[in-house]
Short mmCIF file of all heavy atoms in Angstrom, two decimals:
data_model
loop_
_atom_site.label_atom_id
_atom_site.label_comp_id
_atom_site.label_asym_id
_atom_site.label_seq_id
_atom_site.Cartn_x
_atom_site.Cartn_y
_atom_site.Cartn_z
N ARG V 442 126.97 147.79 63.25
CA ARG V 442 127.64 148.74 64.10
C ARG V 442 126.74 149.10 65.37
O ARG V 442 127.35 149.26 66.40
CB ARG V 442 127.94 150.01 63.26
CG ARG V 442 129.31 149.92 62.46
CD ARG V 442 129.49 151.19 61.69
NE ARG V 442 129.79 152.35 62.53
CZ ARG V 442 130.87 152.68 63.14
NH1 ARG V 442 131.96 151.82 63.01
NH2 ARG V 442 130.99 153.82 63.85
N SER V 443 125.45 149.17 65.08
CA SER V 443 124.57 149.37 66.21
C SER V 443 124.52 148.30 67.31
O SER V 443 124.54 148.54 68.49
CB SER V 443 123.11 149.62 65.76
OG SER V 443 123.07 150.68 64.89
N ARG V 444 124.72 147.07 66.90
CA ARG V 444 124.89 145.93 67.76
C ARG V 444 126.25 145.97 68.46
O ARG V 444 126.33 145.82 69.63
CB ARG V 444 124.61 144.63 67.00
CG ARG V 444 123.26 144.22 66.71
CD ARG V 444 123.24 142.93 66.00
NE ARG V 444 123.56 142.92 64.62
CZ ARG V 444 122.78 142.99 63.55
NH1 ARG V 444 121.50 143.18 63.89
NH2 ARG V 444 123.22 143.02 62.33
N GLU V 445 127.23 146.05 67.60
CA GLU V 445 128.65 145.81 68.18
C GLU V 445 129.01 147.00 69.06
O GLU V 445 129.79 146.89 70.08
CB GLU V 445 129.56 145.73 66.97
CG GLU V 445 131.13 145.54 67.37
CD GLU V 445 131.25 144.27 68.18
OE1 GLU V 445 130.65 143.26 67.91
OE2 GLU V 445 132.24 144.22 68.88
N LEU V 446 128.65 148.15 68.75
CA LEU V 446 129.17 149.38 69.48
C LEU V 446 128.08 150.01 70.42
O LEU V 446 128.30 151.10 70.93
CB LEU V 446 129.60 150.50 68.43
CG LEU V 446 130.74 150.09 67.53
CD1 LEU V 446 130.99 151.11 66.42
CD2 LEU V 446 131.95 149.71 68.27
N MET V 447 127.01 149.28 70.69
CA MET V 447 126.05 149.77 71.64
C MET V 447 126.61 150.21 72.89
O MET V 447 127.40 149.54 73.52
CB MET V 447 124.97 148.77 71.89
CG MET V 447 123.83 149.32 72.86
SD MET V 447 122.50 148.06 73.19
CE MET V 447 121.56 148.33 71.81
N GLY V 448 126.38 151.47 73.36
CA GLY V 448 126.84 151.99 74.53
C GLY V 448 128.17 152.61 74.56
O GLY V 448 128.78 153.11 75.51
N GLU V 449 128.81 152.54 73.38
CA GLU V 449 130.26 153.10 73.21
C GLU V 449 130.22 154.52 72.56
O GLU V 449 131.36 155.03 72.29
CB GLU V 449 131.09 152.09 72.42
CG GLU V 449 131.19 150.82 73.05
CD GLU V 449 132.08 149.73 72.48
OE1 GLU V 449 133.20 150.22 71.97
OE2 GLU V 449 131.69 148.61 72.35
N GLY V 450 129.15 155.08 72.32
CA GLY V 450 129.12 156.57 71.91
C GLY V 450 129.20 156.83 70.45
O GLY V 450 129.47 157.86 70.07
N HIS V 451 128.81 155.88 69.69
CA HIS V 451 128.86 156.01 68.23
C HIS V 451 127.53 156.12 67.48
O HIS V 451 127.41 156.63 66.33
CB HIS V 451 129.67 154.90 67.46
CG HIS V 451 131.07 154.83 67.97
ND1 HIS V 451 132.04 155.53 67.33
CD2 HIS V 451 131.67 154.05 69.03
CE1 HIS V 451 133.26 155.28 68.00
NE2 HIS V 451 133.01 154.35 69.01
N HIS V 452 126.54 155.49 68.09
CA HIS V 452 125.24 155.36 67.35
C HIS V 452 124.60 156.59 66.93
O HIS V 452 124.25 156.69 65.64
CB HIS V 452 124.25 154.58 68.34
CG HIS V 452 122.87 154.33 67.67
ND1 HIS V 452 122.69 153.43 66.64
CD2 HIS V 452 121.65 154.94 67.81
CE1 HIS V 452 121.48 153.49 66.28
NE2 HIS V 452 120.81 154.38 66.98
N TYR V 453 124.48 157.67 67.74
CA TYR V 453 123.81 158.84 67.31
C TYR V 453 124.63 159.55 66.12
O TYR V 453 124.03 160.05 65.15
CB TYR V 453 123.64 159.85 68.43
CG TYR V 453 122.97 161.07 68.03
CD1 TYR V 453 121.64 161.18 67.56
CD2 TYR V 453 123.80 162.29 67.88
CE1 TYR V 453 121.08 162.39 67.15
CE2 TYR V 453 123.23 163.54 67.51
CZ TYR V 453 121.94 163.53 67.15
OH TYR V 453 121.30 164.73 66.71
N PHE V 454 125.94 159.50 66.33
CA PHE V 454 126.79 160.12 65.25
C PHE V 454 126.66 159.34 63.96
O PHE V 454 126.66 159.94 62.87
CB PHE V 454 128.19 160.24 65.76
CG PHE V 454 128.37 161.13 67.04
CD1 PHE V 454 128.97 160.69 68.11
CD2 PHE V 454 127.89 162.45 66.98
CE1 PHE V 454 129.14 161.34 69.24
CE2 PHE V 454 128.06 163.20 68.04
CZ PHE V 454 128.68 162.66 69.22
N ASP V 455 126.54 158.07 64.03
CA ASP V 455 126.30 157.29 62.79
C ASP V 455 124.97 157.64 62.18
O ASP V 455 124.83 157.70 60.92
CB ASP V 455 126.28 155.76 63.07
CG ASP V 455 127.73 155.22 63.28
OD1 ASP V 455 128.67 155.98 63.13
OD2 ASP V 455 127.78 153.94 63.67
N MET V 456 123.94 157.83 63.01
CA MET V 456 122.55 158.29 62.48
C MET V 456 122.80 159.65 61.81
O MET V 456 122.10 159.86 60.71
CB MET V 456 121.57 158.38 63.65
CG MET V 456 121.30 157.01 64.34
SD MET V 456 120.07 156.16 63.42
CE MET V 456 118.70 156.93 63.82
N VAL V 457 123.48 160.52 62.36
CA VAL V 457 123.68 161.88 61.71
C VAL V 457 124.49 161.91 60.34
O VAL V 457 124.01 162.34 59.37
CB VAL V 457 124.35 162.83 62.69
CG1 VAL V 457 124.69 164.16 62.08
CG2 VAL V 457 123.43 163.05 63.93
N ARG V 458 125.64 161.23 60.35
CA ARG V 458 126.50 161.36 59.24
C ARG V 458 125.85 160.56 58.04
O ARG V 458 126.12 160.90 56.91
CB ARG V 458 127.85 160.85 59.51
CG ARG V 458 127.98 159.35 59.93
CD ARG V 458 129.45 159.03 60.18
NE ARG V 458 129.58 157.61 60.61
CZ ARG V 458 129.49 156.52 59.71
NH1 ARG V 458 129.33 156.79 58.39
NH2 ARG V 458 129.49 155.35 60.19
N THR V 459 125.07 159.44 58.31
CA THR V 459 124.44 158.76 57.27
C THR V 459 123.04 159.22 56.85
O THR V 459 122.38 158.75 55.96
CB THR V 459 124.19 157.19 57.63
OG1 THR V 459 123.33 157.16 58.70
CG2 THR V 459 125.53 156.54 58.09
N ARG V 460 122.56 160.34 57.59
CA ARG V 460 121.34 160.97 57.44
C ARG V 460 120.07 160.01 57.77
O ARG V 460 118.96 160.27 57.45
CB ARG V 460 121.11 161.49 56.01
CG ARG V 460 122.19 162.39 55.54
CD ARG V 460 122.27 163.73 56.27
NE ARG V 460 123.32 164.56 55.86
CZ ARG V 460 123.18 165.64 55.09
NH1 ARG V 460 122.04 165.82 54.54
NH2 ARG V 460 124.22 166.35 54.77
N ARG V 461 120.38 158.94 58.46
CA ARG V 461 119.26 158.00 58.91
C ARG V 461 118.41 158.62 59.92
O ARG V 461 117.23 158.31 60.16
CB ARG V 461 119.82 156.61 59.31
CG ARG V 461 120.21 155.78 58.21
CD ARG V 461 120.74 154.44 58.80
NE ARG V 461 120.93 153.48 57.73
CZ ARG V 461 121.97 153.28 56.93
NH1 ARG V 461 123.09 154.23 57.09
NH2 ARG V 461 122.10 152.40 56.07
N ILE V 462 118.89 159.84 60.64
CA ILE V 462 118.20 160.49 61.53
C ILE V 462 116.96 161.25 60.87
O ILE V 462 116.05 161.65 61.54
CB ILE V 462 119.05 161.64 62.20
CG1 ILE V 462 118.42 162.07 63.46
CG2 ILE V 462 119.43 162.72 61.31
CD1 ILE V 462 118.30 161.22 64.63
N LEU V 463 116.93 161.30 59.57
CA LEU V 463 115.83 161.93 58.84
C LEU V 463 114.76 160.84 58.50
O LEU V 463 113.67 161.39 57.96
CB LEU V 463 116.34 162.48 57.45
CG LEU V 463 117.54 163.54 57.62
CD1 LEU V 463 117.88 163.96 56.14
CD2 LEU V 463 117.07 164.68 58.41
N SER V 464 114.89 159.64 58.92
CA SER V 464 113.89 158.68 58.46
C SER V 464 113.28 157.92 59.73
O SER V 464 114.05 157.47 60.63
CB SER V 464 114.67 157.66 57.68
OG SER V 464 113.79 156.45 57.42
N SER V 465 112.04 157.79 59.65
CA SER V 465 111.29 157.07 60.76
C SER V 465 111.55 155.48 60.76
O SER V 465 111.23 154.83 61.71
CB SER V 465 109.77 157.30 60.72
OG SER V 465 109.30 156.89 59.55
N THR V 466 112.17 155.11 59.62
CA THR V 466 112.52 153.66 59.57
C THR V 466 113.72 153.40 60.62
O THR V 466 113.86 152.27 61.10
CB THR V 466 112.99 153.31 58.21
OG1 THR V 466 111.84 153.53 57.27
CG2 THR V 466 113.55 151.97 58.06
N TRP V 467 114.49 154.41 60.87
CA TRP V 467 115.71 154.26 61.72
C TRP V 467 115.59 155.05 62.97
O TRP V 467 116.28 154.60 63.91
CB TRP V 467 116.84 154.69 60.89
CG TRP V 467 117.08 153.98 59.64
CD1 TRP V 467 116.71 154.39 58.32
CD2 TRP V 467 117.66 152.67 59.52
NE1 TRP V 467 117.09 153.31 57.48
CE2 TRP V 467 117.67 152.31 58.21
CE3 TRP V 467 118.15 151.77 60.43
CZ2 TRP V 467 118.06 151.08 57.66
CZ3 TRP V 467 118.63 150.55 60.00
CH2 TRP V 467 118.62 150.22 58.64
N SER V 468 114.86 156.13 63.09
CA SER V 468 115.00 156.93 64.21
C SER V 468 113.63 157.09 64.93
O SER V 468 112.57 157.30 64.25
CB SER V 468 115.49 158.27 63.85
OG SER V 468 115.52 159.15 65.02
N TYR V 469 113.53 157.05 66.26
CA TYR V 469 112.32 157.43 67.03
C TYR V 469 112.25 158.99 67.22
O TYR V 469 111.21 159.49 67.53
CB TYR V 469 112.43 156.79 68.41
CG TYR V 469 112.30 155.19 68.33
CD1 TYR V 469 113.43 154.48 68.26
CD2 TYR V 469 111.09 154.64 68.31
CE1 TYR V 469 113.38 153.10 68.19
CE2 TYR V 469 110.97 153.20 68.28
CZ TYR V 469 112.13 152.38 68.28
OH TYR V 469 112.07 151.12 68.13
N ASN V 470 113.38 159.62 66.88
CA ASN V 470 113.38 161.04 66.88
C ASN V 470 113.68 161.65 65.56
O ASN V 470 114.95 161.90 65.31
CB ASN V 470 114.32 161.58 68.11
CG ASN V 470 114.50 163.05 67.87
OD1 ASN V 470 113.72 163.89 67.55
ND2 ASN V 470 115.87 163.48 68.29
N VAL V 471 112.82 161.64 64.70
CA VAL V 471 113.11 162.08 63.25
C VAL V 471 113.31 163.61 63.16
O VAL V 471 112.51 164.33 63.68
CB VAL V 471 112.02 161.61 62.31
CG1 VAL V 471 112.26 162.09 60.92
CG2 VAL V 471 111.81 160.13 62.44
N LEU V 472 114.38 164.01 62.52
CA LEU V 472 114.57 165.36 62.21
C LEU V 472 114.13 165.70 60.78
O LEU V 472 114.42 164.89 59.90
CB LEU V 472 116.10 165.80 62.39
CG LEU V 472 116.65 165.65 63.88
CD1 LEU V 472 118.12 166.12 63.74
CD2 LEU V 472 115.88 166.44 64.80
N THR V 473 113.45 166.80 60.60
CA THR V 473 113.19 167.21 59.23
C THR V 473 114.47 167.65 58.51
O THR V 473 115.45 167.99 59.19
CB THR V 473 112.12 168.25 59.10
OG1 THR V 473 112.64 169.47 59.78
CG2 THR V 473 110.86 167.84 59.90
N LEU V 474 114.44 167.66 57.21
CA LEU V 474 115.61 168.15 56.52
C LEU V 474 116.02 169.60 56.92
O LEU V 474 117.10 170.03 57.02
CB LEU V 474 115.47 167.96 54.99
CG LEU V 474 116.75 168.37 54.06
CD1 LEU V 474 117.90 167.60 54.48
CD2 LEU V 474 116.34 168.27 52.69
N ASP V 475 114.87 170.37 57.03
CA ASP V 475 115.03 171.81 57.42
C ASP V 475 115.74 171.90 58.71
O ASP V 475 116.72 172.67 58.93
CB ASP V 475 113.73 172.50 57.39
CG ASP V 475 113.89 173.95 57.93
OD1 ASP V 475 114.57 174.77 57.26
OD2 ASP V 475 113.25 174.21 59.04
N LYS V 476 115.25 171.16 59.76
CA LYS V 476 115.77 171.22 61.07
C LYS V 476 117.23 170.73 61.03
O LYS V 476 118.16 171.31 61.65
CB LYS V 476 115.06 170.43 62.08
CG LYS V 476 113.70 171.08 62.34
CD LYS V 476 112.99 170.21 63.39
CE LYS V 476 111.79 170.89 63.90
NZ LYS V 476 110.92 170.14 64.88
N PHE V 477 117.58 169.68 60.22
CA PHE V 477 118.84 169.11 60.15
C PHE V 477 119.79 170.17 59.64
O PHE V 477 120.89 170.36 60.15
CB PHE V 477 118.77 167.88 59.27
CG PHE V 477 120.11 167.20 59.19
CD1 PHE V 477 120.47 166.11 59.98
CD2 PHE V 477 121.08 167.55 58.15
CE1 PHE V 477 121.66 165.44 59.96
CE2 PHE V 477 122.25 166.84 58.13
CZ PHE V 477 122.63 165.85 58.92
N ASN V 478 119.34 170.73 58.53
CA ASN V 478 120.29 171.74 57.89
C ASN V 478 120.47 173.04 58.72
O ASN V 478 121.53 173.67 58.60
CB ASN V 478 119.62 172.24 56.57
CG ASN V 478 119.74 171.17 55.47
OD1 ASN V 478 120.51 170.22 55.65
ND2 ASN V 478 118.87 171.23 54.44
N ARG V 479 119.63 173.28 59.66
CA ARG V 479 119.81 174.42 60.58
C ARG V 479 120.51 174.04 61.90
O ARG V 479 120.66 174.81 62.80
CB ARG V 479 118.39 175.06 60.93
CG ARG V 479 117.80 175.86 59.78
CD ARG V 479 116.54 176.63 60.10
NE ARG V 479 115.49 175.76 60.41
CZ ARG V 479 114.83 175.77 61.62
NH1 ARG V 479 115.31 176.54 62.68
NH2 ARG V 479 113.85 174.95 61.81
N GLY V 480 120.96 172.84 61.92
CA GLY V 480 121.81 172.37 63.05
C GLY V 480 121.10 171.75 64.21
O GLY V 480 121.69 171.77 65.39
N ALA V 481 119.91 171.14 63.95
CA ALA V 481 119.21 170.47 65.11
C ALA V 481 119.95 169.28 65.64
O ALA V 481 119.69 168.78 66.65
CB ALA V 481 117.77 170.12 64.63
N TRP V 482 120.94 168.76 64.85
CA TRP V 482 121.69 167.61 65.32
C TRP V 482 122.79 167.97 66.15
O TRP V 482 123.43 167.09 66.86
CB TRP V 482 122.24 166.92 64.11
CG TRP V 482 123.15 167.57 63.18
CD1 TRP V 482 122.65 168.44 62.09
CD2 TRP V 482 124.56 167.88 63.32
NE1 TRP V 482 123.80 169.02 61.54
CE2 TRP V 482 124.94 168.68 62.26
CE3 TRP V 482 125.47 167.29 64.22
CZ2 TRP V 482 126.26 169.09 62.08
CZ3 TRP V 482 126.75 167.75 64.01
CH2 TRP V 482 127.15 168.61 62.93
N THR V 483 123.11 169.24 66.30
CA THR V 483 124.32 169.73 67.06
C THR V 483 123.87 169.94 68.59
O THR V 483 122.71 169.73 68.84
CB THR V 483 124.84 171.05 66.57
OG1 THR V 483 123.85 172.09 66.76
CG2 THR V 483 125.20 171.09 65.12
N TRP V 484 124.80 170.29 69.35
CA TRP V 484 124.54 170.84 70.68
C TRP V 484 124.56 172.40 70.62
O TRP V 484 125.34 173.01 69.77
CB TRP V 484 125.52 170.33 71.72
CG TRP V 484 125.21 168.99 72.23
CD1 TRP V 484 125.25 167.83 71.51
CD2 TRP V 484 124.61 168.66 73.49
NE1 TRP V 484 124.86 166.74 72.27
CE2 TRP V 484 124.43 167.22 73.48
CE3 TRP V 484 124.21 169.37 74.58
CZ2 TRP V 484 123.88 166.56 74.61
CZ3 TRP V 484 123.70 168.72 75.70
CH2 TRP V 484 123.55 167.31 75.66
N PRO V 485 123.89 173.01 71.52
CA PRO V 485 124.06 174.50 71.68
C PRO V 485 125.45 174.76 72.08
O PRO V 485 126.07 173.97 72.81
CB PRO V 485 122.99 174.91 72.76
CG PRO V 485 122.05 173.80 72.87
CD PRO V 485 122.86 172.55 72.41
N ILE V 486 125.97 176.02 71.76
CA ILE V 486 127.25 176.43 72.12
C ILE V 486 126.98 177.47 73.38
O ILE V 486 126.20 178.32 73.14
CB ILE V 486 128.06 177.06 70.98
CG1 ILE V 486 128.21 176.11 69.84
CG2 ILE V 486 129.36 177.63 71.44
CD1 ILE V 486 128.77 176.61 68.56
N SER V 487 127.80 177.36 74.31
CA SER V 487 127.67 178.38 75.40
C SER V 487 128.00 179.71 74.90
O SER V 487 128.77 180.03 74.07
CB SER V 487 128.72 178.10 76.45
OG SER V 487 128.78 179.07 77.41
N ARG V 488 127.12 180.66 75.36
CA ARG V 488 127.27 182.05 75.01
C ARG V 488 128.63 182.71 75.43
O ARG V 488 129.02 183.72 74.99
CB ARG V 488 126.13 182.90 75.66
CG ARG V 488 124.73 182.58 75.13
CD ARG V 488 123.65 183.65 75.52
NE ARG V 488 123.86 184.89 74.82
CZ ARG V 488 123.57 185.06 73.56
NH1 ARG V 488 122.89 184.25 72.88
NH2 ARG V 488 123.79 186.34 73.11
N SER V 489 129.34 182.05 76.29
CA SER V 489 130.58 182.45 76.67
C SER V 489 131.61 182.51 75.47
O SER V 489 132.60 183.14 75.42
CB SER V 489 131.25 181.65 77.77
OG SER V 489 131.47 180.24 77.43
N ALA V 490 131.25 181.75 74.41
CA ALA V 490 132.10 181.77 73.21
C ALA V 490 132.08 183.05 72.54
O ALA V 490 132.94 183.33 71.68
CB ALA V 490 131.62 180.59 72.29
#
Side-chain angles (χ1 to χ4, degrees):
R442 277 182 60 85
S443 299
R444 281 184 284 267
E445 179 66 28
L446 301 175
M447 178 180 278
E449 298 182 44
H451 297 275
H452 179 70
Y453 178 71
F454 298 123
D455 283 355
M456 295 281 283
V457 170
R458 65 177 179 78
T459 65
R460 305 295 177 99
R461 284 179 169 86
I462 196 70
L463 304 178
S464 169
S465 59
T466 300
W467 299 100
S468 177
Y469 293 91
N470 168 34
V471 177
L472 298 183
T473 66
L474 182 59
D475 173 65
K476 288 182 177 181
F477 184 93
N478 290 337
R479 289 189 289 117
W482 59 269
T483 68
W484 276 74
I486 300 170
S487 170
R488 296 192 66 82
S489 64

